[in-house]
Structures are given as structure tokens and as C-alpha cells.
Amino acid sequence: MNLDKLKHQESGNFFLMAGPCAIEGEEIALRIAERIVSITDKLQIPYIFKGSFKKANRSRIDSFTGIGDEKALRILEKVGKEFDVPTVTDIHESTDAEMAAAYVDVLQIPAFLCRQTDLLVAAARTGKFVNVKKGQFLSAGSMKFAVDKIKESGNENVILTDRGNTFGYQDLIVDFRGIPEMREFNVPVVMDCTHSLQQPNQSSGVTGGKPALIETIAKAAIAVGTDGLFIETHPDPKNAKSDGANMLHLDLLEDLMTKLVKVRKAII
């Protein structure tokens, strides 16, 4: 992938990072990828398959964390090769960086870890693209320092992703002023349309969400000039092993993308 291509698509479209929250198994990962690839090819949307090989940030100790690191990473590798698409997964510790980089194209830094210098440097040193989620506790302008850490470690391939801000208790809100502000750092900026609708740390210990507002967040993000969108999607969100409460049903993705392409064309 070329950074300039992410910012200035020949099709004029945004790019899409999408897939399940977590890698649950090979069959379902391939099924989700095949469906999304058919949609993005049809609409000329550059696509990056997303799947977490491990879920480290869980509310409860009995929450699903993964099917095994190497097993999940090999599935990500297979998706990338079979559909000829780049892949992204999140890492949580410095030691994850080199391991995950052997299988995927983009390393993602979770929002809660976006200030962890050792983690950012380790990701940067792999030479892979590094997608940094903006901390829920940070202003858009503060993300300049995350960008600087990666670039000063010798890697220019940085992406920033907004995923909402903490707003009171157990809720998030999106400040769309942050998208143009972070684009001033001369890196592609992505809007996470699903995690920004989370309702964290509910009384049950399971995160809630407002998936009915995914289209609203996505339309607004495109309208203010985001370079890409991040959407977690699943054919059966109610039974997804992680973050099902705020995921988009896979059957709704094509209609949403069709609308968003029209919004994009209207503003360029």
C-alpha cells in the first residue's frame, strides 16, 4: 500500500477497513471477506480486511479473547492472499509487533494504548503501516505526538482513526472537528463508525452500543472529508464473540456503502 494512494484515491472514493471484531474461525472470516470484497470491487472502494487476532481489552475475565494467536494470524494471512487485499490487526504489547507483522500489512494501536511509546516504536520499526486509534481521553490535536513518535522511529506510514470521546459515564460522542484537524498532520484519517457508538462498561460487564446510528456517523464523516471508514461487520452480530452490540449486520453493508459513495461524489 502507498500512503499517497490512501489519501488520494484514483476512484475518488474513501477507503474501507472492515471485518469482524475478532477472528472467530477460518470459515466465517473468509465468508465475511468474500462478501465485502464483492461490494467494494463493485463500488470501487479500496479495501483493507480487519480482524483482531487477540482481544486483550475485555471488561470481564470470562470474555472471549481469541482462538489462539498464531491460528488467528494465519487466518488473516490466508484472507489477504486469497482475496488479494491488505489486512489489519491490533496489537497490545511491544512483543506483538514483530509477530503480527509477519502476517498482516497494517498494525493497529488500540485507543487506550495510543500514548504507549514502546508499543508505537515497536510497531513503527516493523516498517508496516501503523493505524493509531485516537484515545477516547485525548483531543484530536494531541494525536500529533503519536504521529511524531512513529515518524521519528523511521516510519512515514501512519494512519489515524477517530473512535469518539468519553462523554460522561458509559457513553461516547464524536466531535467531527477532529477529522480535519488530524488531517493537518498529513496522514490519512479514518472514522471508526462502530466503536464510536459503543456504550462501554455496562452493568453486565458487556459493552453496549447504538448500531442504528452507524449510517449517521458514516455520512457525517464522509461529509467532513475523512479519508477512510472503519466498520466492524458480521453476518450474525447477536452471536458474534466480541462487540456484537455495536457491529453492522453484514447484510446492511452494501446499501450503506452505496449511499456513502454518493455522498462522497457530492462533495468532491
Side-chain angles (χ1 to χ4, degrees), residues 32-43:
I32 292 170
E34 182 176 27
R35 183 78 175 275
I36 301 175
V37 166
S38 70
I39 293 168
T40 53
D41 281 354
K42 177 181 177 182
L43 296 173

Side-chain angles (χ1 to χ4, degrees), residues 186-201:
N186 198 34
V187 299
V189 174
V190 174
M191 183 71 236
D192 184 337
C193 304
T194 46
H195 287 97
S196 61
L197 291 167
Q198 280 185 333
Q199 294 178 301
N201 301 320

Side-chain angles (χ1 to χ4, degrees), residues 1 6 15 17 48-54 69 73 76-77 86-111 113-114 118-134 143 146 150 155-161 188 190 230:
M1 288 192 305
L6 287 180
F15 63 92
M17 293 185 182
I48 303 169
F49 178 85
K50 183 269 167 185
S52 296
F53 79 94
K54 175 171 62 178
D69 295 356
L73 286 167
L76 282 160
E77 182 181 48
T87 55
V88 55
T89 198
D90 37 336
I91 60 173
H92 304 87
E93 301 177 41
S94 300
T95 52
D96 290 342
E98 187 174 354
M99 174 179 65
Y103 297 92
V104 301
D105 304 283
V106 183
L107 300 178
Q108 182 168 287
I109 308 299
L113 301 177
C114 69
D118 288 350
L119 182 60
L120 290 167
V121 171
R125 287 178 175 168
T126 67
K128 299 286 184 173
F129 269 76
V130 183
N131 178 34
V132 188
K133 292 279 195 79
K134 186 187 77 64
M143 292 304 292
I150 294 168
N155 189 337
E156 295 289 320
N157 300 321
V158 189
I159 304 168
L160 293 180
T161 294
V190 174
F230 180 107

Side-chain angles (χ1 to χ4, degrees), residues 26-267:
E26 182 176 309
E27 186 276 331
I28 193 166
L30 292 170
R31 178 153 54 102
I32 292 170
E34 182 176 27
R35 183 78 175 275
I36 301 175
V37 166
S38 70
I39 293 168
T40 53
D41 281 354
K42 177 181 177 182
L43 296 173
Q44 294 185 296
I45 299 171
Y47 174 51
I48 303 169
F49 178 85
K50 183 269 167 185
S52 296
F53 79 94
K54 175 171 62 178
K55 301 301 297 183
N57 178 20
R58 304 285 85 192
S59 297
R60 298 186 343 193
I61 197 168
D62 61 348
S63 295
F64 174 80
T65 58
I67 60 174
D69 295 356
E70 187 173 354
K71 183 177 180 180
L73 286 167
R74 288 192 181 281
I75 290 171
L76 282 160
E77 182 181 48
K78 183 169 183 176
V79 168
K81 289 180 177 178
E82 188 153 324
F83 296 102
D84 192 26
V85 294
T87 55
V88 55
T89 198
D90 37 336
I91 60 173
H92 304 87
E93 301 177 41
S94 300
T95 52
D96 290 342
E98 187 174 354
M99 174 179 65
Y103 297 92
V104 301
D105 304 283
V106 183
L107 300 178
Q108 182 168 287
I109 308 299
F112 282 123
L113 301 177
C114 69
R115 284 174 50 89
Q116 298 298 102
T117 301
D118 288 350
L119 182 60
L120 290 167
V121 171
R125 287 178 175 168
T126 67
K128 299 286 184 173
F129 269 76
V130 183
N131 178 34
V132 188
K133 292 279 195 79
K134 186 187 77 64
Q136 302 94 320
F137 46 87
L138 289 177
S139 68
S142 298
M143 292 304 292
K144 176 183 184 298
F145 303 110
V147 173
D148 288 346
K149 287 176 183 178
I150 294 168
K151 289 188 173 182
E152 289 170 14
S153 298
N155 189 337
E156 295 289 320
N157 300 321
V158 189
I159 304 168
L160 293 180
T161 294
D162 196 350
R163 49 98 71 237
N165 305 293
T166 51
F167 183 67
Y169 295 100
Q170 297 174 316
D171 206 359
L172 298 168
I173 192 166
V174 177
D175 181 353
F176 286 99
R177 296 175 299 178
I179 291 175
E181 185 173 356
M182 289 191 291
R183 292 186 87 239
E184 289 296 315
F185 306 146
N186 198 34
V187 299
V189 174
V190 174
M191 183 71 236
D192 184 337
C193 304
T194 46
H195 287 97
S196 61
L197 291 167
Q198 280 185 333
Q199 294 178 301
N201 301 320
Q202 299 298 295
S203 58
S204 64
V206 177
T207 295
K210 297 181 179 179
L213 292 174
I214 291 172
E215 182 172 325
T216 300
I217 295 292
K219 283 179 176 177
I222 295 297
V224 298
T226 190
D227 299 291
L229 297 176
F230 180 107
I231 296 176
E232 289 188 340
T233 183
H234 194 282
D236 186 11
K238 288 183 179 179
N239 290 305
K241 294 185 181 296
S242 178
D243 283 359
N246 53 268
M247 294 169 79
L248 181 73
H249 197 294
L250 188 57
D251 288 345
L252 302 177
L253 184 65
E254 183 169 1
D255 181 64
L256 176 60
M257 291 297 107
T258 301
K259 291 176 181 176
L260 296 178
V261 167
K262 291 179 181 177
V263 174
R264 177 74 168 194
K265 288 180 179 177
I267 66 168

